[in-house]
Amino acid sequence: MRLADFIRRDMDAILSEWEKFAAQLLVGRKMEALALRDHAKQILDTVANDLDQAQSGEQQERKSKGHAPPTTDAAETAAETHAVLRAKSGFDINQMVSEYRALRATVHRLWADARDPAATDLQDSIRFNEAIDQALAESIALFTAQVDHARNLLLGMLGHDMRSPLQAIQVTAAYLARIDAGPEVSTAAGRLVNSGARMKALLDDLLDFNRTRLGLGVNIVASEINLGEVFTDEIQQLRVSHPQRQIDLMCHGDLRGSWDANRLHQVLGNLVLNALKYGSPGTPVGVVLTGLPADVVFAVSNRGAVIEPLMLEQIFDPLRQGPGEQPDSGVDGSLGLGLYICREIAAAHSGDISARSDPAETVFTVRLPRVPGP
């Protein structure tokens, strides 16, 4: 008996065996047996139909790697729907993979019991394994996307909800710093103010990260500004915060354009802090702002260890930390999102950011069109 015919004939027996295994994984979860049976039946129907179709060598190879084209016009395959509901039911990916392994083993065992032991059809077995691999690939892809989406929503809500109590702490600390309650209270209040500002910056980075991961992008509100004035103000603040370091600013040409001043404050702050953190102690950090006919370009440079080419290729990826900072740089650690957010802010302005590193210096360059695209 061909495997496709066996699957259709003994569908109930196969599903019963599969449900027994799945029930062991479903303890305490809400996904009903009927839903389990429906998904498995649809998956097996797809597999049986696939076994009946002619297949080229190229199609066979693609399917074995999980790259087969969709076999249905539906928005989701049965395997993808199963993955979404498994993720919502609290399964982890190992449990979902175990289900497919059990389904594969069940079909092979029952098929072996139902046929003449001397009669074998190796091609049917190979085709069945390929079809199960394709279903598994579909499930894993959507399962992972579902889990990532849920995690990003959770982190976004967490970051948003933490802002209110943090603001209360900052306001209280600022009040304590203003009143004359003695040097010890004023010193402690100052530490709270600084720590609160640092925590707010981390939460802002986290919220921006989640917006980009959810496909929303970084929000910008553009207005006509002079970038030279914006950067002069930011550099002055950075010099006050890091009096032991030299930070130079040079401006050339027309620096007017339509940008989000607060976001570009953020970009410059991140790049300069990064240069202070990884640059050699005692060496200056340079900022050069240049107005071109259609764009304004600024570069932040520092002297220090060369960034390896492989790391340079990945330096704007999220959650990446540098190779190590100078022990006396005076700059706090971070989530590893600063350069990633710089890239997203530049992109939101229809611009871009790049980096180069050689024994002489490391330079991050940002290009901003004077008028961002839509």
Side-chain angles (χ1 to χ4, degrees), residues 264-334:
L264 295 183
H265 264 291
Q266 187 179 359
V267 172
L268 180 63
N270 279 342
L271 293 178
V272 171
L273 289 175
N274 195 66
L276 292 171
K277 182 176 182 179
Y278 296 109
S280 299
T283 62
V285 170
V287 180
V288 179
L289 186 58
T290 305
L292 302 175
D295 308 315
V296 170
V297 176
F298 68 91
V300 178
S301 62
N302 66 273
R303 303 172 196 166
V306 177
I307 303 174
E308 297 298 328
L310 180 59
M311 179 171 289
L312 201 62
E313 291 177 4
Q314 304 171 345
I315 203 163
F316 296 107
D317 292 347
L319 307 176
R320 290 280 180 181
Q321 295 286 353
E325 66 215 59
Q326 300 298 332
D328 57 349
S329 63
V331 183
D332 294 334
S334 67

Side-chain angles (χ1 to χ4, degrees), residues 91-240:
F91 268 50
D92 62 41
I93 196 165
N94 291 325
Q95 290 172 314
M96 190 184 70
V97 170
S98 294
E99 286 187 299
Y100 279 97
R101 292 173 60 190
L103 184 60
R104 188 200 307 266
T106 297
V107 170
H108 277 301
R109 179 174 56 80
L110 294 179
W111 185 39
D113 292 344
R115 63 197 172 113
D116 181 352
T120 59
D121 193 332
L122 178 60
Q123 189 61 28
D124 272 4
S125 293
I126 293 173
R127 291 283 302 274
F128 174 74
N129 289 337
E130 291 165 355
I132 289 294
D133 287 340
Q134 175 65 31
L136 180 57
E138 293 170 359
S139 285
I140 288 177
L142 214 60
F143 184 94
T144 303
Q146 183 73 24
V147 171
D148 286 346
H149 185 75
R151 182 190 62 236
N152 289 332
L153 284 176
L154 174 63
L155 290 176
M157 289 186 291
L158 177 64
H160 185 273
D161 291 346
M162 287 179 67
R163 277 183 160 179
S164 294
L166 177 59
Q167 185 177 17
I169 292 172
Q170 286 182 291
V171 170
T172 303
Y175 170 75
L176 291 174
R178 287 195 303 269
I179 65 174
D180 186 12
E184 292 185 358
V185 172
S186 296
T187 300
R191 284 198 295 266
L192 281 175
V193 170
N194 292 334
S195 296
R198 183 63 189 150
M199 186 176 293
K200 181 180 181 301
L202 292 172
L203 286 177
D204 289 343
D205 282 354
L206 181 62
L207 290 172
D208 283 339
F209 172 70
N210 277 281
R211 280 185 60 86
T212 61
R213 303 303 275 188
L214 292 170
L216 302 175
V218 169
N219 187 45
I220 65 168
V221 180
S223 61
E224 293 297 322
I225 62 172
N226 185 313
L227 201 56
E229 296 174 357
V230 172
F231 277 22
T232 297
D233 178 62
E234 177 67 16
I235 292 296
Q236 290 292 352
Q237 295 181 43
L238 289 165
R239 285 169 178 163
V240 171

Side-chain angles (χ1 to χ4, degrees), residues 246-263:
Q246 178 182 343
I247 307 173
D248 299 324
L249 173 64
M250 291 189 293
C251 300
H252 308 284
D254 182 3
L255 304 177
R256 293 169 298 175
S258 180
W259 303 295
D260 187 321
N262 290 328
R263 286 298 191 179

